[in-house]
Amino acid sequence: MKNHDLVDCFTLHKVRYELRRAEEGLHYAWICLDNPEELNAYTADMLKSIALALRRASCDRSVVAIVLTGAGDRAFSSGGNTREYAECYVGRPEEYRQYLRLFGDVVTGILEADKPVVCRVNGLRVGGGQEIGMACDFSLAQDLARFGQAGPRHGSAPDGGATDFLHLYVGIERAMQSCVLCETWSAHKAWRLGLLTEIVPALRVDGTLVPSPLCVTDRWQDYGEWKQGAERTEGEAVIARGRVDLGPLDEAVERLCAKLVGVFPGCAMKTIGSLRKKKLEHWRRNWDSNREWLALNMMTEARAGFRAFHEGAKGHREVDFVRLRRLLAEGRAWDDDLLREILPRSG
């Protein structure tokens, strides 16, 4: 039989590729973003590795399903690596356009994979991480995970998939809320809204698994909303006493993947392909123009937002939005003087 891999061999950069046994002669391909010290934020080299790993898993005749996840228990992925953005792409739209081609290869690789793709959400899934996750066919999450977009607060637009996919999951109003206001959702709320296949507890306190103490789980009308005030303080204290156990998440992923073994592969992929078309219709129609705009935006708002996030102290990583709006209302140009006036001040 012919070898249909894109390349015969490749080196992975901060991405792990592993075949796990499903049945005799059958496997699940696990692709793991391995940059936990930066919340599995992906670099250009990581995007290359993910795209090549997806292609290899897609071509492997023994693979039943692809599991896409992140290392550790803090994050699936926080999205693009803002350190690399600030150092390599700010003010360089032509370079960023090529970077975005790599990101598009990953999203397209998921949407056109010849195997089902399962997102194992081991923690935070925001920004481009959320967009990659939504491209997957199934998403299973530990219930301490958070979900959302960050673009309009940090100088970008969620045009790497969120504006194409999110409304298909949760409706246009909720998509507006997430994409424009950049408010994060708990795993419980994301499940209630239809964004996730399944959620499982991950916090073990005194040996017992308990649901996330940071969100409401006992009132359906408020299910998944973040607790506030004293309730939130109490929840944070419970988390401090416990430890994260991803064993139940791995068991849930294993159960789902095992179910995929028990269906006709051709019929399953035709069904998945038909459902993927709704995402692909939006993605193919919009990605080229979105990539062009995102690249040009590196000269204005992204230039400011990514620098602010990279250079600002923790808790002070956003520009002065009020000052920016006033300067623009005065007709000021996007020049170095404007940037100095709106970027966070050191110290």
Side-chain angles (χ1 to χ4, degrees):
M1 292 185 286
K2 289 288 187 180
N3 180 351
H4 300 119
D5 288 337
L6 191 61
V7 295
D8 290 333
C9 61
F10 56 84
T11 300
L12 297 178
H13 178 80
K14 290 194 174 183
V15 172
R16 299 199 306 268
Y17 183 88
E18 177 186 358
L19 292 179
R20 298 192 180 185
R21 185 180 186 276
E23 298 288 345
E24 183 66 33
L26 300 175
H27 303 91
Y28 309 128
W30 280 56
I31 301 172
C32 180
L33 283 64
D34 192 11
N35 187 20
E37 63 275 8
E38 294 182 294
L39 297 178
N40 295 319
Y42 47 77
T43 61
D45 287 337
M46 288 176 68
L47 289 174
K48 297 176 192 177
S49 297
I50 299 166
L52 288 169
L54 285 166
R55 183 62 174 262
R56 172 156 294 181
S58 188
C59 290
D60 190 331
R61 298 174 184 86
S62 75
V63 168
V64 175
I66 301 169
V67 178
L68 186 60
T69 190
D73 58 25
R74 297 173 62 205
F76 166 71
S77 176
S78 59
N81 191 294
T82 54
R83 170 184 51 78
E84 186 176 71
Y85 286 178
E87 294 175 353
C88 301
Y89 298 120
V90 161
R92 299 182 176 93
E94 296 297 333
E95 295 298 309
Y96 193 55
R97 183 181 290 111
Q98 295 307 311
Y99 165 88
L100 289 170
R101 185 180 294 281
L102 296 175
F103 178 81
D105 289 341
V106 169
V107 174
T108 303
I110 294 170
L111 291 171
E112 295 184 345
D114 290 329
K115 307 294 168 63
V117 184
V118 178
C119 185
R120 172 187 175 270
V121 189
N122 53 302
L124 182 75
R125 195 176 89 174
V126 299
Q130 168 81 313
E131 293 171 321
I132 287 173
M134 285 191 292
C136 297
D137 304 310
F138 303 91
S139 288
L140 290 79
Q142 61 112 325
D143 78 340
L144 297 176
R146 292 180 289 133
F147 299 79
Q149 296 302 144
R153 291 197 69 82
H154 296 294
S156 188
D159 272 348
T163 52
D164 294 311
F165 308 148
L166 186 56
H167 68 287
L168 298 175
Y169 287 97
V170 304
I172 193 70
E173 292 285 348
R174 294 296 193 179
M176 286 284 186
Q177 178 187 31
S178 176
C179 290
V180 177
L181 302 180
C182 305
E183 297 174 351
T184 59
W185 294 336
S186 71
H188 288 268
K189 182 171 182 177
W191 177 80
R192 175 167 64 87
L193 294 178
L195 188 60
L196 303 173
T197 306
E198 184 179 351
I199 55 175
V200 296
L203 182 64
R204 195 174 289 278
V205 180
D206 299 328
T208 301
L209 282 169
V210 299
S212 171
L214 295 182
C215 53
V216 176
T217 56
D218 58 349
R219 299 189 301 273
W220 181 250
Q221 67 272 23
D222 300 317
Y223 187 88
E225 298 294 342
W226 296 116
K227 292 179 178 178
Q228 303 296 327
E231 284 188 317
R232 185 172 184 86
T233 300
E234 292 171 5
E236 290 170 347
V238 173
I239 289 178
R241 295 203 328 266
R243 65 178 180 86
V244 175
D245 179 1
L246 295 183
L249 177 60
D250 290 338
E251 292 170 5
V253 171
E254 180 73 23
R255 286 194 302 271
L256 175 61
C257 289
K259 291 177 182 178
L260 292 169
V261 177
V263 296
F264 280 107
C267 294
M269 285 313 304
K270 175 59 180 75
T271 304
I272 289 171
S274 293
L275 289 167
R276 283 176 179 170
K277 284 180 182 178
K278 284 69 176 178
K279 298 178 188 178
L280 277 165
E281 286 170 3
H282 294 279
W283 177 251
R284 288 171 175 162
R285 183 185 305 124
N286 298 323
W287 175 237
D288 286 340
S289 59
N290 285 346
R291 186 168 72 99
E292 296 295 329
W293 181 89
L294 289 166
L296 290 173
N297 188 49
M298 272 296 182
M299 297 301 297
T300 55
E301 293 184 346
R303 183 183 176 196
F306 292 141
R307 278 191 57 188
F309 189 88
H310 180 60
E311 299 171 12
K314 187 175 182 180
H316 300 279
R317 291 178 170 171
E318 297 171 359
V319 302
D320 185 335
F321 292 113
V322 173
R323 181 65 176 157
L324 170 62
R325 287 177 177 271
R326 286 173 177 162
L327 293 173
L328 294 178
E330 294 170 4
R332 288 283 295 276
W334 278 95
D335 54 21
D336 290 340
D337 289 337
L338 181 144
L339 287 178
R340 278 191 288 270
E341 292 189 50
I342 65 172
L343 286 174
R345 300 186 185 279
S346 60

